Amino acid sequence: TSSNAPARIKDLVDWEIVLETTEVHEILGTLQKNHRWLDALPELLPSLSSLLLEALDLMRQLEGANDRSDGSYWHQPSIAEHPQNQKFRDWTALIDLTRDAFLATATVNAERARAEVDRWLTCPYPLFRRLAFFAATETDLFTADVSLQWLLADQNWWLWSVETEREALRLVIKLGKTLAT
């Protein structure tokens, strides 16, 4: 018997987000040693965030992402550099670029870095929460109260979501150090 239910995209096609270059992760490794590149990163932060958002919006259209799940933790377990990040997917280079651009911006223009994190928090995907938690963990740009509000937003969803688990726990550890004894 045939069903009248419409087919889902993921039942019809197998898709992958790829970038228009080869060996993107190797290229980025080389660029990280270039001082001119590092100096340019703060100017690139808004554009890199937008590219990452566009990639996730495309994934949403292909039924691979939504407001509560984008699978980014599976493809890149840590926002920070980490051996678990296997770099099998081209699009995860956008995460690395956005992270590096944020860190570069935070050292030269704290207000611009804070503004970008505020922008991330308006994006509907867990990956941007992960980036915000990373920013709060790795810098002193945000107060403990603000960071805690982020963790407890949406009825504590982000604190307990597997999608944000690594960065949430790292932020909880940092916040724990600020508690009065």
Side-chain angles (χ1 to χ4, degrees):
T1 61
S2 66
S3 172
N4 291 335
R8 298 178 313 170
I9 291 173
K10 59 183 167 183
D11 294 336
L12 300 173
V13 291
D14 187 20
W15 56 268
E16 181 178 344
I17 304 292
V18 295
L19 304 181
E20 188 61 36
T21 188
T22 58
E23 301 177 10
V24 66
H25 292 287
E26 290 79 10
I27 293 168
L28 290 179
T30 302
L31 284 175
Q32 288 177 338
K33 299 170 189 154
N34 184 309
H35 292 291
R36 290 184 3 189
W37 170 252
L38 298 174
D39 291 343
L41 281 175
E43 295 302 317
L44 297 173
L45 178 59
S47 297
L48 292 168
S49 293
S50 293
L51 287 171
L52 189 55
L53 179 58
E54 287 177 22
L56 287 162
D57 285 343
L58 180 57
M59 289 179 200
R60 178 187 291 271
Q61 292 298 314
L62 297 169
E63 299 174 353
N66 60 50
D67 292 359
R68 300 286 181 156
S69 178
D70 59 25
S72 63
Y73 76 101
W74 182 257
H75 298 292
Q76 181 144 337
S78 177
I79 296 297
E81 290 192 42
H82 193 278
Q84 285 182 322
N85 295 342
Q86 295 296 311
K87 303 180 183 194
F88 291 136
R89 303 280 187 234
D90 285 356
W91 74 270
T92 62
L94 297 172
I95 300 170
D96 294 340
L97 284 165
T98 303
R99 175 202 64 217
D100 293 348
F102 168 78
L103 292 172
T105 303
T107 63
V108 297
N109 189 331
E111 197 55 42
R112 182 183 274 179
R114 277 190 210 96
E116 195 62 27
V117 172
D118 288 341
R119 178 180 169 214
W120 292 343
L121 292 169
T122 68
C123 296
Y125 304 106
L127 176 55
F128 287 97
R129 283 286 165 165
R130 295 176 63 207
L131 284 163
F133 295 168
F134 170 84
T137 301
E138 297 299 321
T139 69
D140 292 322
L141 298 178
F142 307 96
T143 66
D145 288 341
V146 166
S147 301
L148 184 59
Q149 288 174 9
W150 295 347
L151 284 169
L152 301 179
D154 297 325
Q155 299 177 329
N156 309 324
W157 177 265
W158 303 113
L159 177 61
W160 302 111
S161 172
V162 68
E163 300 267 340
T164 56
E165 181 177 17
R166 178 174 174 75
E167 284 73 28
L169 289 177
R170 290 179 47 82
L171 182 53
V172 166
I173 291 167
K174 180 181 180 181
L175 293 174
K177 294 176 183 176
T178 66
L179 296 175
T181 56

